[in-house]
Amino acid sequence: MKKILFIINRKAGTDREKRLEHAISKHLPADRYEVSTAFLAYLGHGADLAREAVQNGVDIVVAVGGDGSINEISQGLIGSNTAMAILPLGSGNGLARALKIPLNIDKALQLIVNNKQRAIDVGYANEHLFLSNAGVGFDALIAEQFRHNTKRGLSGYAKLVLKSFNTYDPAEYNIDIDGSSFQAKAFLLTVANGNQFGYEFKLAPKASVFDGQLDLCIMPPVGILSLLPVSIFSLMGNIDNTRYIKHYTGKDITIRSNALQYLQVDGDAVPLTENGVVRIRIQSQAINVVVNE
C-alpha cells in the first residue's frame, strides 16, 4: 500500500479544501493508498514535514500550494527516495507549468495514480534552493517589495513593476560561467533551471529541469516602451530569439557587483549573505517528481 502525505498551504485557497478532500478520496481510495494530511503552520514547516515523511518511509509527498510552498517542501526531499507530486494551487505555478502538470485538481491527482516519476535538477543561489529560477536584478527588487505587499497575484505584481520601473538603475555585473568571465550591464539578470517564471512567462524558453544545465538570461537596460513587447515575446516563448535577451548556459555561475542588493529564488526574496557576490550552482537529478508523461 502506497503511503502518501499531502502538505497543504492553506493560504493558497481555503475554499478549495472541501473539494480537495472529496477529490483525494475519489482518486486515492483507502484500500489502495494510505493517505495523510498536514498543514503548513510556520516558515520552514514544509521542509520539516518533508524530512519527517522521508524518515517515515512515505512514498510520495504532495505539495499543495504555489511555488513558495513547493520550494520549501522540496528542501526536505533532496537526495531521498521519497518523490514529490504537485497540486498547483498558487498564482504563478511556475514549476507546475514547466512540468506540464495540469492546474485542474482531478487531472493533477490522476498523475499521482499513474505515478510516472523523473528526477529533476535543482539550483542553489548562495545555498538557497531554487527549482525554477533565481535573480539579482529588477525581478529581485520586485520580489523584495512583493514580500510586503498585501495584494497578491499577477495584478499586484504588475502594479509594483510599473511603479518601480522608471526609478530602477540597472547595475554593472562581473559574471563568471564555468570559468569564463565577462561584464554586462543588466536590467534583468536571472538564472533559470526550468523554462517558466509563472503565469506562462518564459525568459528561457528552452531551459529544462532535466538537462543538467542552468540558463543565464541577461536583459540589457530597456525603456518603458519595451515592457509590452518583452511581455508578449515572453508569453509566446520566443524572447530568446530577440534583442531583449542574451542567453548563456553553464553549471557554476558567480555574479559580482557593488550594486548587488537583492536576491530572489522562485519569486521569494532571500537575504544576501555575502556582500556583492551571488554564487549559483546546479545539483543534477536531485529530486524525484511525479510528472505528466
Side-chain angles (χ1 to χ4, degrees):
M1 192 181 277
K2 274 215 174 340
K3 285 172 87 168
I4 299 182
L5 170 66
F6 283 78
I7 301 179
I8 299 171
N9 178 6
R10 274 206 166 105
K11 269 196 255 174
T14 34
D15 53 327
R16 311 185 216 194
E17 230 168 272
K18 276 271 182 286
R19 220 174 64 208
L20 183 60
E21 259 173 55
H22 174 72
I24 289 169
S25 54
K26 183 175 90 177
H27 290 277
L28 305 171
D31 58 336
R32 285 174 54 208
Y33 299 93
E34 188 187 318
V35 175
S36 50
T37 303
F39 295 94
L40 294 181
Y42 54 85
L43 199 62
H45 194 196
D48 293 342
L49 287 168
R51 281 186 205 103
E52 213 174 282
V54 171
Q55 287 167 355
N56 295 338
V58 170
D59 297 292
I60 299 172
V61 167
V62 186
V64 184
D67 287 326
S69 343
I70 292 164
N71 178 306
E72 203 178 280
I73 290 160
S74 65
Q75 290 171 36
L77 300 176
I78 301 289
S80 76
N81 293 322
T82 300
M84 177 171 72
I86 297 168
L87 281 196
L89 293 187
S91 39
N93 298 315
L95 184 64
R97 290 177 199 267
L99 292 168
K100 298 187 169 56
I101 289 166
L103 304 187
N104 172 289
I105 286 176
D106 287 289
K107 288 179 181 168
L109 282 166
Q110 191 52 49
L111 295 190
I112 297 169
V113 176
N114 300 345
N115 196 23
K116 171 82 167 70
Q117 297 183 11
R118 274 186 88 179
I120 68 165
D121 308 328
V122 302
Y124 287 91
N126 285 359
E127 296 312 301
H128 294 284
L129 173 84
F130 64 94
L131 304 171
S132 296
N133 62 84
V136 298
F138 185 68
D139 56 330
L141 166 72
I142 296 299
E144 175 61 34
Q145 294 178 346
F146 199 56
R147 203 158 63 89
H148 310 289
N149 208 20
T150 48
K151 184 147 180 52
R152 309 302 283 177
L154 185 56
S155 63
Y157 199 83
K159 275 184 186 148
L160 284 179
V161 167
L162 291 169
K163 201 177 97 186
S164 304
F165 188 89
N166 284 328
T167 54
Y168 184 72
D169 188 18
E172 184 85 37
Y173 298 95
N174 289 306
I175 299 157
D176 183 291
I177 305 183
D178 295 347
S180 294
S181 298
F182 62 96
Q183 280 190 313
K185 194 170 191 181
F187 171 73
L188 277 183
L189 184 53
T190 307
V191 174
N193 181 38
N195 69 353
Q196 271 276 356
F197 285 68
Y199 305 106
E200 289 300 341
F201 284 93
K202 303 176 195 78
L203 280 189
K206 294 183 184 75
S208 164
V209 292
F210 305 114
D211 67 0
Q213 296 271 356
L214 293 168
D215 290 56
L216 175 69
C217 308
I218 300 175
M219 186 179 289
V222 288
I224 192 107
L225 293 177
S226 301
L227 273 185
L228 187 60
V230 161
S231 303
I232 291 167
F233 288 129
S234 298
L235 288 167
M236 286 167 66
N238 60 3
I239 194 162
D240 52 337
N241 299 326
T242 72
R243 64 187 171 86
Y244 295 110
I245 286 282
K246 290 188 176 121
H247 187 260
Y248 307 84
T249 56
K251 294 177 192 294
D252 280 287
I253 300 167
T254 302
I255 299 164
R256 289 183 174 83
S257 173
N258 294 335
L260 256 180
Q261 287 184 73
Y262 306 107
L263 169 64
Q264 65 84 10
V265 291
D266 288 342
D268 284 333
V270 290
L272 272 177
T273 39
E274 199 178 338
N275 264 358
V277 184
V278 173
R279 299 170 203 279
I280 300 172
R281 64 180 177 88
I282 193 168
Q283 186 176 334
S284 300
Q285 302 189 338
I287 181 169
N288 289 321
V289 177
V290 174
V291 294
N292 184 9
E293 49 191 37

